[in-house]
Amino acid sequence: MDDLELADWRERVARLYLSDVDLAGFRAGRDDLFATHPQSPIPPAERQGFPGVRYYPPNPDAVVQAPLRPASGELRVDTGGPDGVVAYRRIAVAETPWGPLTLWWIEAYGGGLFVPLRDATCGSETYGGGRYLTDTVKGTFGRGVELLHGDRVRLDANYLYNPSCAYDDRWACPLAPPENRVDVPLRAGELAYHG
Protein backbone atom coordinates (compact mmCIF):
# COMPACT_ATOMS: atom_id res chain seq x y z
CA MET A 1 0.00 0.00 0.00
CA ASP A 2 3.00 2.34 0.40
CA ASP A 3 3.24 2.67 -3.39
CA LEU A 4 -0.41 3.70 -3.66
CA GLU A 5 0.05 6.20 -0.83
CA LEU A 6 3.08 7.63 -2.63
CA ALA A 7 1.09 7.93 -5.87
CA ASP A 8 -1.65 9.74 -3.92
CA TRP A 9 0.94 12.06 -2.31
CA ARG A 10 2.36 13.00 -5.71
CA GLU A 11 -1.09 13.59 -7.17
CA ARG A 12 -2.07 15.85 -4.26
CA VAL A 13 1.20 17.79 -4.52
CA ALA A 14 0.68 18.28 -8.27
CA ARG A 15 -2.91 19.43 -7.74
CA LEU A 16 -1.79 21.92 -5.10
CA TYR A 17 0.94 23.33 -7.35
CA LEU A 18 -1.48 23.60 -10.28
CA SER A 19 -4.32 25.10 -8.22
CA ASP A 20 -5.29 28.77 -8.37
CA VAL A 21 -4.76 29.46 -4.64
CA ASP A 22 -2.51 32.35 -3.63
CA LEU A 23 0.77 31.88 -1.76
CA ALA A 24 -0.94 31.81 1.66
CA GLY A 25 -3.46 29.21 0.46
CA PHE A 26 -0.67 27.18 -1.09
CA ARG A 27 1.31 27.18 2.15
CA ALA A 28 -1.77 26.19 4.18
CA GLY A 29 -2.49 23.32 1.79
CA ARG A 30 1.10 22.15 1.97
CA ASP A 31 1.08 22.27 5.77
CA ASP A 32 -2.08 20.16 5.81
CA LEU A 33 -0.47 17.53 3.58
CA PHE A 34 2.65 17.49 5.75
CA ALA A 35 0.59 17.05 8.93
CA THR A 36 -1.83 14.40 7.71
CA HIS A 37 -0.57 12.37 4.75
CA PRO A 38 1.07 8.95 5.37
CA GLN A 39 3.83 9.81 2.85
CA SER A 40 4.69 13.12 4.50
CA PRO A 41 8.42 13.69 4.92
CA ILE A 42 7.71 14.77 8.52
CA PRO A 43 8.55 11.85 10.83
CA PRO A 44 5.33 10.15 12.03
CA ALA A 45 6.07 10.93 15.69
CA GLU A 46 6.21 14.67 14.86
CA ARG A 47 2.98 14.89 12.84
CA GLN A 48 0.70 15.03 15.88
CA GLY A 49 0.32 18.73 16.62
CA PHE A 50 2.54 19.68 13.67
CA PRO A 51 2.53 23.52 13.68
CA GLY A 52 3.35 23.83 9.98
CA VAL A 53 6.43 24.59 7.98
CA ARG A 54 8.27 27.83 8.76
CA TYR A 55 8.58 30.31 5.90
CA TYR A 56 10.01 33.71 5.22
CA PRO A 57 7.31 36.36 4.72
CA PRO A 58 6.25 36.74 1.08
CA ASN A 59 8.97 38.61 -0.78
CA PRO A 60 7.98 40.38 -4.03
CA ASP A 61 11.68 40.97 -4.82
CA ALA A 62 12.15 37.18 -4.99
CA VAL A 63 10.20 36.98 -8.26
CA VAL A 64 12.33 37.52 -11.36
CA GLN A 65 12.27 36.93 -15.09
CA ALA A 66 15.55 35.76 -16.54
CA PRO A 67 16.85 35.02 -20.02
CA LEU A 68 17.87 31.44 -20.77
CA ARG A 69 20.89 30.31 -22.68
CA PRO A 70 21.43 26.75 -23.91
CA ALA A 71 23.60 24.43 -21.88
CA SER A 72 24.92 20.93 -22.33
CA GLY A 73 26.59 18.23 -20.35
CA GLU A 74 25.56 15.74 -17.73
CA LEU A 75 25.76 15.33 -13.98
CA ARG A 76 25.60 11.89 -12.40
CA VAL A 77 24.62 11.50 -8.74
CA ASP A 78 24.96 8.28 -6.78
CA THR A 79 21.97 8.29 -4.45
CA GLY A 80 23.38 5.56 -2.26
CA GLY A 81 19.90 4.01 -2.29
CA PRO A 82 17.59 2.02 -4.53
CA ASP A 83 17.62 4.71 -7.24
CA GLY A 84 21.32 4.02 -7.86
CA VAL A 85 23.08 6.57 -10.05
CA VAL A 86 20.75 9.24 -11.44
CA ALA A 87 21.76 11.23 -14.50
CA TYR A 88 20.81 14.89 -14.93
CA ARG A 89 21.27 16.72 -18.25
CA ARG A 90 21.85 20.47 -18.41
CA ILE A 91 19.17 22.03 -20.62
CA ALA A 92 19.61 25.75 -19.98
CA VAL A 93 21.16 28.34 -17.71
CA ALA A 94 19.00 31.14 -16.33
CA GLU A 95 20.91 34.41 -15.99
CA THR A 96 19.28 35.60 -12.75
CA PRO A 97 20.07 38.67 -10.62
CA TRP A 98 21.27 36.17 -7.99
CA GLY A 99 23.74 34.50 -10.37
CA PRO A 100 23.47 31.84 -13.08
CA LEU A 101 21.27 28.82 -12.30
CA THR A 102 21.29 25.63 -14.33
CA LEU A 103 17.99 24.00 -15.24
CA TRP A 104 18.40 20.23 -15.23
CA TRP A 105 16.48 17.45 -16.95
CA ILE A 106 16.25 14.18 -15.03
CA GLU A 107 17.29 11.43 -17.44
CA ALA A 108 15.14 8.71 -15.88
CA TYR A 109 11.91 7.21 -17.18
CA GLY A 110 9.43 10.04 -17.66
CA GLY A 111 12.10 12.69 -17.07
CA GLY A 112 11.43 15.94 -15.32
CA LEU A 113 12.68 19.46 -14.77
CA PHE A 114 14.85 19.92 -11.67
CA VAL A 115 16.19 23.20 -10.25
CA PRO A 116 18.05 22.85 -6.95
CA LEU A 117 19.93 25.80 -5.48
CA ARG A 118 22.03 26.73 -2.52
CA ASP A 119 22.22 30.36 -1.42
CA ALA A 120 23.92 32.32 1.36
CA THR A 121 21.14 31.48 3.88
CA CYS A 122 21.83 27.73 3.68
CA GLY A 123 23.19 26.32 6.90
CA SER A 124 22.16 29.28 9.04
CA GLU A 125 18.54 30.16 8.22
CA THR A 126 17.63 27.46 5.70
CA TYR A 127 18.52 23.82 5.13
CA GLY A 128 22.28 23.48 4.73
CA GLY A 129 22.16 21.30 1.63
CA GLY A 130 20.05 23.76 -0.34
CA ARG A 131 16.46 24.00 -1.48
CA TYR A 132 14.51 23.25 -4.65
CA LEU A 133 12.62 25.62 -6.94
CA THR A 134 11.11 22.68 -8.78
CA ASP A 135 11.32 18.93 -9.14
CA THR A 136 8.58 18.04 -11.60
CA VAL A 137 9.06 14.30 -10.97
CA LYS A 138 7.62 15.12 -7.53
CA GLY A 139 4.75 17.15 -9.01
CA THR A 140 6.04 20.66 -8.30
CA PHE A 141 4.87 22.29 -11.53
CA GLY A 142 4.66 25.96 -12.42
CA ARG A 143 5.06 27.93 -9.19
CA GLY A 144 8.81 28.15 -8.60
CA VAL A 145 9.76 27.86 -12.26
CA GLU A 146 7.53 28.95 -15.12
CA LEU A 147 8.84 28.68 -18.67
CA LEU A 148 7.96 31.73 -20.75
CA HIS A 149 8.02 32.29 -24.50
CA GLY A 150 11.14 33.74 -26.05
CA ASP A 151 13.75 31.75 -24.12
CA ARG A 152 12.90 33.30 -20.76
CA VAL A 153 11.92 31.86 -17.41
CA ARG A 154 10.03 33.27 -14.43
CA LEU A 155 11.52 32.22 -11.09
CA ASP A 156 9.66 32.73 -7.82
CA ALA A 157 11.89 32.05 -4.82
CA ASN A 158 8.84 32.33 -2.52
CA TYR A 159 8.28 28.71 -3.53
CA LEU A 160 11.75 27.45 -2.56
CA TYR A 161 11.24 24.32 -0.51
CA ASN A 162 13.36 21.87 1.44
CA PRO A 163 14.07 18.42 0.04
CA SER A 164 12.58 15.52 2.01
CA CYS A 165 15.95 14.70 3.60
CA ALA A 166 15.77 18.03 5.48
CA TYR A 167 12.99 16.54 7.62
CA ASP A 168 14.06 12.94 8.11
CA ASP A 169 17.21 10.91 7.42
CA ARG A 170 15.14 8.10 5.88
CA TRP A 171 15.11 10.14 2.64
CA ALA A 172 18.02 10.56 0.24
CA CYS A 173 18.03 13.78 -1.81
CA PRO A 174 20.20 15.19 -4.56
CA LEU A 175 21.68 18.48 -3.42
CA ALA A 176 22.56 21.59 -5.39
CA PRO A 177 25.70 21.09 -7.48
CA PRO A 178 28.42 23.79 -7.32
CA GLU A 179 27.10 25.58 -10.42
CA ASN A 180 23.76 26.17 -8.66
CA ARG A 181 25.28 27.83 -5.63
CA VAL A 182 24.77 31.57 -5.40
CA ASP A 183 26.51 33.95 -3.02
CA VAL A 184 23.48 36.12 -2.24
CA PRO A 185 20.94 35.39 0.52
CA LEU A 186 17.52 34.46 -0.89
CA ARG A 187 15.24 35.29 2.02
CA ALA A 188 12.16 33.74 0.50
CA GLY A 189 10.45 30.37 0.68
CA GLU A 190 10.94 27.73 3.31
CA LEU A 191 13.14 28.09 6.38
CA ALA A 192 15.09 25.29 8.09
CA TYR A 193 12.95 22.62 9.74
CA HIS A 194 13.28 22.16 13.49
CA GLY A 195 11.24 19.11 14.39
Side-chain angles (χ1 to χ4, degrees), residues 1 4 13 18 27 40-41 45 47-48 76 88-89 92 97 105 114 119 121 128 144 149 169 193-194:
M1 297 306 267
L4 293 176
V13 167
L18 294 170
R27 288 176 172 181
S40 170
R47 289 185 204 149
Q48 183 79 10
R76 301 177 73 73
Y88 299 87
R89 181 172 38 91
W105 188 259
F114 181 53
D119 68 284
T121 68
H149 295 291
D169 291 339
Y193 175 67
H194 300 291

Side-chain angles (χ1 to χ4, degrees), residues 23 36 41 57 89 139 190:
L23 181 62
T36 62
R89 181 172 38 91
E190 191 171 342

Side-chain angles (χ1 to χ4, degrees), residues 136-173:
T136 61
V137 167
K138 305 291 187 189
T140 61
F141 298 98
R143 287 189 182 252
V145 177
E146 180 183 354
L147 301 175
L148 305 173
H149 295 291
D151 296 328
R152 295 185 67 75
V153 66
R154 179 181 181 272
L155 304 174
D156 187 342
N158 290 294
Y159 290 95
L160 279 168
Y161 63 96
N162 293 331
S164 298
C165 56
Y167 307 103
D168 192 332
D169 291 339
R170 67 187 164 132
W171 304 98
C173 304

Side-chain angles (χ1 to χ4, degrees), residues 7-182:
D8 181 68
W9 169 266
R10 288 186 179 168
E11 178 182 348
R12 288 179 188 218
V13 167
R15 286 180 188 271
L16 180 60
Y17 270 81
L18 294 170
S19 72
D20 60 0
V21 298
D22 63 6
L23 181 62
F26 172 84
R27 288 176 172 181
R30 192 165 178 266
D31 284 346
D32 181 60
L33 271 174
F34 274 48
T36 62
H37 200 281
Q39 286 291 322
S40 170
I42 304 298
E46 296 173 20
R47 289 185 204 149
Q48 183 79 10
F50 176 64
V53 173
R54 297 177 327 116
Y55 297 98
Y56 286 105
N59 181 352
D61 295 330
V63 183
V64 299
Q65 287 192 23
L68 295 172
R69 62 177 163 83
S72 62
E74 189 177 77
L75 173 70
R76 301 177 73 73
V77 176
D78 186 347
T79 66
D83 291 334
V85 176
V86 177
Y88 299 87
R89 181 172 38 91
R90 290 175 188 87
I91 58 172
V93 174
E95 297 294 348
T96 78
W98 318 313
L101 288 177
T102 300
L103 281 64
W104 300 91
W105 188 259
I106 302 168
E107 292 281 87
Y109 174 77
L113 185 62
F114 181 53
V115 182
L117 71 85
R118 190 175 195 283
D119 68 284
T121 68
C122 292
S124 58
E125 300 170 36
T126 63
Y127 178 60
R131 298 176 286 167
Y132 298 169
L133 265 176
T134 196
D135 181 353
T136 61
V137 167
K138 305 291 187 189
T140 61
F141 298 98
R143 287 189 182 252
V145 177
E146 180 183 354
L147 301 175
L148 305 173
H149 295 291
D151 296 328
R152 295 185 67 75
V153 66
R154 179 181 181 272
L155 304 174
D156 187 342
N158 290 294
Y159 290 95
L160 279 168
Y161 63 96
N162 293 331
S164 298
C165 56
Y167 307 103
D168 192 332
D169 291 339
R170 67 187 164 132
W171 304 98
C173 304
L175 303 179
E179 65 198 84
N180 274 34
R181 295 178 183 172
V182 297

